[in-house]
């Protein structure tokens, strides 16, 4: 049979492993304020990109063809 010391050691090792798996040992690289600043910069980049895309689409013009006016329709009919 296994000695009580061996069982106690195995139990302690098991408990230590379980606690270690629960704890992620996370050491933050950035502070909370730095993370907020980084997120704000990312949001600003996204807004700038969408603004650039919008400006380009306005320069190219709408994708839908412009409907002809009544005068143009009358000319085509003649």
């Amino acid at each position: 049979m296994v000695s009580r010391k061996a069982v106690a050691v195995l139990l302690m090792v098991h408990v230590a492993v379980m606690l270690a798996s629960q704890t992620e040992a996370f050491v933050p690289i950035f502070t909370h304020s730095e993370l907020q600043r980084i997120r704000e910069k990312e949001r600003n980049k996204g807004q700038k990109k969408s603004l650039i895309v919008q400006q380009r689409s306005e320069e190219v013009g709408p994708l839908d063809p412009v409907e002809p006016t009544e005068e143009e329709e009358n000319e085509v009919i003649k």
Side-chain angles (χ1 to χ4, degrees):
M1 194 168 181
V2 181
S3 70
R4 288 186 178 203
K5 287 185 180 180
V7 171
V9 168
L10 288 174
L11 183 61
M12 293 299 291
V13 169
H14 178 70
V15 169
V17 169
M18 293 301 289
L19 288 174
S21 68
Q22 295 287 327
T23 307
E24 295 183 15
F26 177 72
V27 177
I29 297 172
F30 301 108
T31 63
H32 183 68
S33 61
E34 288 173 332
L35 285 175
Q36 285 180 335
R37 233 181 313 143
I38 290 171
R39 289 181 187 137
E40 187 176 329
K41 284 181 183 179
E42 289 175 354
R43 267 190 241 117
N44 289 340
K45 283 182 184 178
Q47 289 175 352
K48 286 180 185 177
K49 286 182 181 179
S50 65
L51 181 61
I52 290 171
V53 169
Q54 183 181 7
Q55 288 174 346
R56 287 182 184 167
S57 66
E58 288 174 357
E59 289 173 1
V60 172
L63 297 177
D64 297 333
V66 178
E67 294 183 18
T69 61
E70 290 182 24
E71 294 174 357
E72 291 174 349
E73 287 179 3
N74 289 337
E75 289 177 8
V76 170
I77 292 173
K78 289 179 184 178

